[in-house]
Amino acid sequence: MQTRHTCSMLLFLDFDGVLHPKGAGQIHFTKLPLLESFLRQPDLLPVQIVISSTWRQAYGIAKLRGFFSPDIASRIIGGTPQLNEYSSEHERGEEIEAWLAGKSTSAWAILD
């Protein structure tokens, strides 16, 4: 069961290619300190995070939060759903649209 959240600002976050380079043998989360520093700016403190990375399929939200500093981890409110069917090749976009459906959100961004 997914919890309903009402928030003013959301960030849909991918990991591969954002927090570290894509590909086998890469060191993971090398850019995480940069993202966390950015999210600690006073104007961005209200931003809540939704994980849109495929990592959400292998790890639960509790495990994913463990990769982040506690103050940022507490802002992770969930992950996008994995859908049974997609109507286009834009699967991540469809998953984000499904997550947003029925929620009251005035502003959001995708970091992919």
Side-chain angles (χ1 to χ4, degrees):
M1 181 166 139
Q2 188 159 2
T3 306
R4 292 209 175 266
H5 293 278
T6 302
C7 61
S8 58
M9 297 190 320
L10 285 175
L11 174 65
F12 291 93
L13 180 63
D14 185 20
F15 292 176
D16 299 321
V18 175
L19 299 180
H20 50 255
K22 288 184 179 184
Q26 298 294 328
I27 299 172
H28 293 133
F29 301 102
T30 55
K31 302 294 183 189
L32 183 57
L34 181 63
L35 175 66
E36 289 187 337
S37 177
F38 177 72
L39 289 172
R40 288 183 181 113
Q41 294 181 74
D43 289 351
L44 298 178
L45 292 176
V47 173
Q48 293 181 306
I49 302 163
V50 178
I51 304 298
S52 58
S53 172
T54 56
W55 284 53
R56 75 196 191 290
Q57 297 166 6
Y59 303 100
I61 291 299
K63 173 75 172 175
L64 295 175
R65 282 185 182 116
F67 295 121
F68 295 81
S69 299
D71 64 313
I72 302 298
S74 68
R75 294 162 60 182
I76 297 173
I77 61 171
T80 55
Q82 184 175 359
L83 305 176
N84 293 327
E85 294 183 23
Y86 297 91
S87 60
S88 73
E89 69 275 7
H90 305 290
E91 294 175 2
R92 184 153 306 151
E94 290 183 44
E95 292 165 348
I96 290 169
E97 288 176 357
W99 194 95
L100 286 167
K103 292 182 177 61
S104 175
T105 303
S106 61
W108 52 271
I110 302 168
L111 190 52
D112 188 87

